[in-house]
Amino acid sequence: MWTRPGVRRRAVVTLLAVVGFRIVQVLPVVGAHPAAARDFAASTRTDPLYGLGELLTGGGLLRLSYAPFGVLPIWLGSLLLGVATPLIPRVAALAAEGAAGRRLLNRYIRVPAVLCGAGLGGWLVAFAAGRHLVDGDPVPVLCMTAGTVLAMALAELISARGLGDGLAVLMLVQFLAVLPGQIEELWTSSGWAAGTVVVALLVLLVALTHLLRQAERRVPVQYAKRLIGRRPFGFTATYLPVTFARTGLTAASVALLLSLPALVTPNWLSSPWYVVAFAVLTLACTAFGAAAAFDPEQLADQLKRYGAFIPGIRSGRPTAEYLAYVHSRLTSTGALAATALATTPFLALDLLTTPTHHPLTATGLLLTAATTTWAATSLKRQRTQPADFA
């Protein structure tokens, strides 16, 4: 990559954006009391959600920084827009327009992202002001909202002029800013063997998630003979890739959703029912999401329109039925593999670690592996498709 023109410039832009992002994540807002915030953070380290909260916010939450939630408001804004896409005809039409529509959707994401940043900032200031960690006036809320806007601008800068998808890169950066410290604490509490195995497990999770995301079933396709001018064309043999890409972030999102009951029941995360519920929901969401994202009727119509056919299968409805059959087999196998892969960190941490508290969680390992794969995939497709948050 370094031999290609412009790659060095893109790398420098990405590096500068990452440095600026980390500065706004660790710089306390106006009106914050850093010493009191540090004491409060030390007193909450035994909370079961402490490690996950630190990972999701890059350590900026209890520092009361200008970007205390990192790129989490941008991610929430993109999820809200994704939910609204099938409900709002205008947004659904833009999503179907390809690259031009995605560029407009990126602008629409700014509104819910800023609203999420302002709402989360207001909640954090109200929570911290009740514990005398920050002044209870609107200035810290405005500072945190401005930090969300700056983080969003840096993410868009990386997407346009840097390397990879800006949201994926900055999310991975804030994970990697906290994860080494959590692994070090695990190393101290459970021994060097457990820490080494967890590091190897993380590398294995990244590799297997990427491998499962790249898996495909190649359906052979041929093009019928056509006469263009006086030259015959056709009988070209190629293949149609039927992929299964619903991995990584789906399981991590399910794990985050199931972590919310721990706010009421602290022992929920250590319960075996948590792992059972996680496995069932991951299997259901992964299979349903993969099935909903594949339309065999539309694919069969496209093949017929371009004069392509699957050898031994008639065009039209028989082709759609065959593609649905192939995708159903791929979906069932992929969903089982993704569920087994996502459940592995929970079982491994239960077997390797001691009852001594440590902030490292299986959900954090899943998030890091999924975000690493997301960032690597966005970097790979950057030349042909603009990165988008949606």
Side-chain angles (χ1 to χ4, degrees), residues 2-89:
W2 287 98
T3 60
R4 295 180 52 201
V7 172
R8 290 185 179 86
R9 178 182 57 82
R10 286 181 172 271
V12 170
V13 170
T14 304
L15 180 61
L16 292 177
V18 166
V19 171
F21 175 68
R22 287 301 299 165
I23 289 176
V24 298
Q25 272 200 305
V26 300
L27 188 65
V29 296
V30 177
H33 308 299
R38 284 194 298 269
D39 294 339
F40 179 77
S43 65
T44 58
R45 293 186 69 84
T46 57
D47 190 278
L49 292 179
Y50 172 83
L52 187 58
E54 282 284 282
L55 190 74
L56 286 173
T57 60
L61 183 63
L62 295 181
R63 288 190 179 95
L64 301 175
S65 65
Y66 277 85
F69 297 95
V71 294
L72 190 60
I74 309 174
W75 189 31
L76 292 176
S78 66
L79 291 179
L80 291 176
L81 189 64
V83 172
T85 297
L87 303 177
I88 304 176

Side-chain angles (χ1 to χ4, degrees), residues 11 14 45 83 86 105 111 114 141 173 190 194 204-206 208 222 237 267 300 320 344 354 357 373 383 389:
T14 304
R45 293 186 69 84
V83 172
L105 285 179
V111 177
V114 172
V141 180
V173 164
S190 301
L204 185 64
L205 277 177
V206 173
L208 292 181
Q222 288 186 353
N267 295 329
T344 302
T354 62
H357 174 75
T373 305
R383 291 181 299 171
F389 296 159

Side-chain angles (χ1 to χ4, degrees), residues 85-160:
T85 297
L87 303 177
I88 304 176
R90 170 62 178 168
V91 179
L94 287 175
E97 289 182 2
R102 281 192 297 271
R103 282 193 291 268
L104 288 177
L105 285 179
N106 285 340
R107 298 179 182 177
Y108 289 168
I109 290 176
R110 298 172 183 173
V111 177
V114 172
L115 292 178
C116 288
L120 291 174
W123 168 82
L124 179 60
V125 170
F127 175 83
R131 290 156 179 79
H132 307 288
L133 307 179
V134 67
D135 297 337
D137 54 53
V139 175
V141 180
L142 294 176
C143 293
M144 293 179 182
T145 306
T148 299
V149 174
L150 180 58
M152 185 164 48
L154 292 175
E156 293 181 358
L157 176 64
I158 294 176
S159 298

Side-chain angles (χ1 to χ4, degrees), residues 332-343:
S332 58
T333 306
L336 289 174
T339 303
L341 180 62
T343 312

Side-chain angles (χ1 to χ4, degrees), residues 218-287:
R218 296 183 176 183
V219 179
V221 172
Q222 288 186 353
Y223 286 87
K225 185 177 180 180
R226 293 178 297 173
L227 192 65
I228 301 180
R230 295 185 177 182
R231 301 181 59 183
F233 291 88
F235 290 112
T236 304
T238 182
Y239 65 88
L240 176 68
V242 180
T243 61
F244 177 81
R246 294 284 170 175
T247 59
L249 283 177
T250 301
S253 301
V254 172
L256 283 176
L257 182 64
L258 287 178
S259 299
L260 295 180
L263 296 172
V264 180
T265 308
N267 295 329
W268 166 245
L269 294 179
S270 58
S271 171
W273 292 109
Y274 172 76
V275 181
V276 173
F278 169 75
V280 172
L281 283 179
T282 300
L283 180 63
C285 293
T286 304

Side-chain angles (χ1 to χ4, degrees), residues 161-185:
R161 302 181 182 276
L163 295 173
D165 187 334
L167 179 58
V169 170
L170 294 185
M171 186 176 292
L172 180 61
V173 164
Q174 68 183 31
F175 287 170
L176 296 181
V178 176
L179 190 65
Q182 295 184 352
I183 294 177
E184 182 182 1
E185 291 193 31

